[in-house]
Amino acid sequence: MNTPVQNQYVSGANERPSIGAILLEEKILTPEQLSNLKIEAAKQNLEIDKLIHDLQIVPEEKYYEAQAKLLNVPFTSVTTLPFSPEALGFIPKSVAERFKLIPFAFEQEGKVLSVVMSNTNDVEAIEFIKQKTGASIKVFQGIPSEVNQAIQTQYSFGLVGEVKAALKESEQIQKVKTFDLQSISEVIKEAPIAKIVSTILEYAVKSRASDIHLEPQEDRVRVRYRIDGILYERLSLPLGVSEAVISRVKILSGLKIDEHRTPQDGRFNFKVGDEEVDLRVSSLPTVFGEKIVMRLLRKSGGVPTLGDLGITGTSLRTLEAAMLRPHGIILVCGPTGSGKTTTLYAVLSKLNTTRVNILTLEDPVEYQIPGANQVQINDDVGLTFATGLRAFLRQDPNIILVGEIRDKETTELAIQASLTGHLVFSTLHTDSAAGALPRLIDMGAETFLLASTINATMGQRIARKICPHCKVDYVPPMEIIEEIKKVLGPLMPKSTDTTIKLFKGTGCEVCGHSGFLGRIGIYEVMAITDGIAKLILERKDSTTIETRAKQEGMITMKQDGYLKVLAGQTTIDEILRVAQE
């Protein structure tokens, strides 16, 4: 590679700069490895960089990061990039395939087109697209396999023509200066805006997203998808189409398109093939326009079982024992988005028979459970958790689900319901199973009532599962093995094999190159034994209660997570991300 670079990447006095020298400096290659590679390159009459590439002795990403440094250009991974259909419109797919490059952003000011290339040393390709587009070209080094994949994926979105047409239409609307609501509505209902919105929704369903975020920024509209709990930016739309796209979503969900100052909520259904999803839509006024979030609730697939969720072993036995008692309270604890409601649905499905009357009070009702009587909270007419729970007690229930315990009144009513012979399930925003008890005491619950009514509390988080299609094993560093042994203690599985192997996903088309596919829960279930009841009466803190529960055999969330890591279901980084204390 003959591009002039800084001397810091020259490994010897008379040597040309090389990727090998950069990899040595960054301690990815050892001096011994580099020396052996030089000898081998001389034998085969090859450039050392080509040999390193052909032998694949360093990760592909590290190789191309080093190449970017060598050529003094920025490196980027296309898997994390938002693609602008406007930018894609500058270069046809055939040209992108020929030169192994893909445009991803266009800055109107200065007319700058950002392009990721497999080979940033290809001056001919850069000159060609510069001439073809009439724009300044900002070049980024990418990983060739990712660039090829992105070309196939992004051009198949088919939004290039729609965005161009929508921009043209919006310019015409702006020129006319017509503010007739009816005529604007008609324009929005037509293609290409309708096609842009349906493509955004279709991608969400196919990629298993739980939420779609349409976020107006100063210079564009960012489209992000929450997949397996993590937000990914997948699309970037020009500002010219933002109002029309957001208005289209508002029309679909029954929101007022002439109201931009206050938050609104709505819903609509969308079908892709055989799969139908219910979308809950929320709009929020921001500095740059209205932000829209759509929550996707799949109608097909049904409620998962406790086993599907990942509740096994001691935790499952403790939970089932608490569920089988005819009265009492079971609380599921965790932060927002940790899957508490799904766990409660799985529990109710297990208890749901024609012999019991199940009443639920939810905000909102996310899934319909056949045979259960589900009630939606409505603050506007005074139907709150407290007023609904009061009415429930006159409806001859066996099992009551209260979406969330938020205040003293709901706490007292839940305790009252359990004392009068009902089995009550609810959720609480605390970090752990043990933390639920001091929280209820803070809300004004009497300690003697808590000690006698709570059957069990449960803490949970959600971790991403390793993609089975690109799953590989590896031997972790010694310090990680020691950490696992320390946390698990006697729970550490006995094995004849002395080498402990963990697993990870390398990233493939099925999982969108993330290495993860689907999610699994990690849990701790704490039964209220006589020992713990005594600590409640003494108003002990959550740490003391948790220590006692562990002595009595409770498996903590972190331990449950580490057991799932050893079983190859998730990664150590995921557990530390969601369950680090």
Side-chain angles (χ1 to χ4, degrees):
M1 305 209 177
N2 48 21
T3 305
V5 291
Q6 299 166 347
N7 288 335
Q8 70 187 76
Y9 299 132
V10 180
S11 51
N14 302 312
E15 289 183 37
R16 290 170 59 200
S18 73
I19 290 170
I22 298 169
L23 293 170
L24 174 68
E25 185 189 300
E26 295 188 352
K27 297 185 170 59
I28 293 162
L29 284 179
T30 63
E32 188 185 359
Q33 280 177 310
L34 190 60
S35 176
N36 291 338
L37 283 164
K38 283 177 184 173
I39 295 164
E40 189 59 37
K43 277 183 192 172
Q44 295 187 30
N45 197 22
L46 280 176
E47 279 195 7
I48 187 164
D49 290 351
K50 185 168 184 346
L51 184 68
I52 291 169
H53 178 271
D54 292 350
L55 292 175
Q56 298 180 347
I57 57 171
V58 297
E60 196 178 23
E61 188 174 338
K62 296 296 178 192
Y63 180 88
Y64 286 101
E65 274 180 19
Q67 180 170 298
K69 276 190 179 176
L70 182 72
L71 299 173
N72 208 17
V73 295
F75 171 85
T76 188
S77 170
V78 296
T79 57
T80 60
L81 286 177
F83 281 86
S84 160
E86 188 184 13
L88 289 167
F90 279 92
I91 299 174
K93 187 181 179 185
S94 57
V95 174
E97 287 176 326
R98 178 179 153 203
F99 290 118
K100 296 183 174 55
L101 54 84
I102 185 165
F104 66 91
F106 178 67
E107 294 165 41
Q108 198 70 48
E109 198 179 322
K111 301 230 177 294
V112 180
L113 186 68
S114 295
V115 178
V116 187
M117 301 181 70
S118 293
N119 179 12
T120 46
N121 215 11
D122 190 342
V123 182
E124 184 196 337
I126 296 168
E127 198 53 45
F128 178 85
I129 58 170
K130 196 173 179 180
Q131 295 290 333
K132 184 171 176 59
T133 61
S136 301
I137 307 300
K138 190 175 180 181
V139 173
F140 290 79
Q141 175 67 54
I143 299 169
S145 57
E146 288 185 358
V147 172
N148 292 340
Q149 176 62 37
I151 291 168
Q152 303 313 316
T153 306
Q154 294 301 326
Y155 282 98
S156 68
F157 255 123
L159 285 184
V160 175
E162 275 72 22
V163 168
K164 275 185 182 172
L167 280 169
K168 206 169 180 182
E169 272 185 22
S170 67
E171 278 168 23
Q172 286 167 357
I173 291 169
Q174 282 161 13
K175 279 176 196 167
V176 175
K177 292 279 180 193
T178 303
F179 292 98
D180 183 318
L181 262 181
Q182 188 59 38
S183 61
I184 289 175
S185 298
E186 290 309 311
V187 169
I188 290 163
K189 282 178 191 171
E190 293 166 11
I193 293 298
K195 175 75 165 72
I196 292 171
V197 172
S198 67
T199 304
I200 288 168
L201 295 174
E202 202 174 317
Y203 181 81
V205 175
K206 287 180 177 172
S207 61
R208 305 169 294 104
S210 61
D211 301 83
I212 307 167
H213 293 238
L214 303 180
E215 300 170 313
Q217 309 283 292
E218 193 171 6
D219 56 346
R220 63 195 174 101
V221 177
R222 183 166 73 166
V223 183
R224 294 196 289 173
Y225 296 90
R226 191 175 291 282
I227 302 167
D228 292 334
I230 306 289
L231 273 172
Y232 295 95
E233 196 170 339
R234 287 288 188 249
L235 197 60
S236 183
L237 297 171
L239 271 184
V241 302
S242 68
E243 277 196 39
V245 167
I246 285 164
S247 295
R248 168 72 178 162
V249 173
K250 288 173 81 173
I251 286 170
L252 289 171
S253 45
L255 305 182
K256 295 175 185 170
I257 62 168
D258 57 336
E259 178 54 79
H260 307 287
R261 298 163 303 167
T262 59
Q264 296 184 67
D265 293 311
R267 61 189 288 181
F268 67 95
N269 288 355
F270 182 73
K271 198 167 185 181
V272 179
D274 295 331
E275 189 164 10
E276 191 174 349
V277 290
D278 182 10
L279 288 108
R280 304 287 164 87
V281 181
S282 168
S283 77
L284 182 75
T286 71
V287 177
F288 299 116
E290 284 180 282
K291 178 183 191 292
I292 299 278
V293 174
M294 292 178 267
R295 162 65 57 91
L296 282 78
L297 300 169
R298 282 159 177 78
K299 292 193 167 186
S300 51
V303 177
T305 65
L306 294 171
D308 292 339
L309 294 176
I311 308 174
T312 55
T314 308
S315 298
L316 182 60
R317 287 193 293 276
T318 307
L319 179 60
E320 284 180 336
M323 283 160 51
L324 292 172
R325 291 173 68 178
H327 53 82
I329 300 173
I330 295 174
L331 294 172
V332 181
C333 310
T336 303
S338 58
K340 301 185 294 294
T341 308
T342 306
T343 300
L344 287 177
Y345 280 163
V347 168
L348 286 190
S349 295
K350 193 173 173 67
L351 296 172
N352 191 7
T353 68
T354 52
R355 294 184 214 166
V356 291
N357 179 20
I358 297 177
L359 292 174
T360 80
L361 197 56
E362 303 170 65
D363 184 21
V365 174
E366 291 192 15
Y367 295 99
Q368 272 82 41
I369 304 171
N373 304 287
Q374 294 172 274
V375 177
Q376 167 92 41
I377 290 294
N378 187 345
D379 288 322
D380 295 341
V381 296
L383 178 52
T384 63
F385 282 119
T387 56
L389 194 44
R390 245 190 223 98
F392 274 16
L393 296 176
R394 297 190 291 276
Q395 285 283 323
D396 185 31
N398 299 98
I399 296 167
I400 296 171
L401 184 150
V402 185
E404 187 185 336
I405 290 179
R406 293 178 181 169
D407 50 38
K408 184 179 181 180
E409 193 179 5
T410 316
T411 308
E412 287 172 350
L413 285 165
I415 290 170
Q416 194 58 44
S418 70
L419 286 171
T420 51
H422 306 96
L423 189 56
V424 180
F425 294 93
S426 192
T427 68
L428 203 60
H429 285 284
T430 62
D431 287 339
S432 63
L437 302 164
R439 173 65 59 85
L440 291 172
I441 293 169
D442 288 345
M443 283 185 190
E446 293 289 352
T447 53
F448 68 92
L449 290 175
L450 285 182
S452 58
T453 56
I454 306 277
N455 294 352
T457 61
M458 181 175 176
Q460 71 174 76
R461 300 287 188 278
I462 300 181
R464 293 179 291 170
K465 281 167 78 174
I466 297 169
C467 172
H469 303 279
C470 58
K471 182 174 172 178
V472 293
D473 61 25
Y474 70 99
V475 177
M478 203 60 217
E479 56 265 29
I480 288 180
I481 295 170
E482 290 305 319
E483 158 75 1
I484 292 173
K485 284 179 177 174
K486 182 182 159 192
V487 170
L488 288 180
L491 294 171
M492 187 77 188
K494 302 286 183 286
S495 174
T496 49
D497 188 359
T498 51
T499 308
I500 292 176
K501 286 186 178 177
L502 301 184
F503 300 84
K504 62 182 178 183
T506 55
C508 64
E509 283 182 43
V510 180
C511 62
H513 299 278
S514 67
F516 297 98
L517 191 68
R519 293 193 283 175
I520 192 163
I522 58 172
Y523 303 90
E524 60 186 23
V525 182
M526 185 177 80
I528 307 302
T529 60
D530 291 342
I532 288 168
K534 187 168 179 285
L535 295 178
I536 296 169
L537 292 168
E538 292 168 4
R539 294 177 175 265
K540 296 292 186 187
D541 60 25
S542 59
T543 309
T544 309
I545 293 169
E546 186 171 296
T547 304
R548 179 60 189 255
K550 286 198 273 193
Q551 288 166 359
E552 293 182 357
M554 181 184 84
I555 295 172
T556 65
M557 276 187 281
K558 199 170 183 184
Q559 288 174 330
D560 186 40
Y562 279 9
L563 288 169
K564 283 170 177 146
V565 166
L566 292 174
Q569 293 174 302
T570 187
T571 67
I572 193 94
D573 291 341
E574 269 299 284
I575 300 306
L576 294 175
R577 179 178 71 84
V578 301
Q580 185 64 288
E581 289 146 11

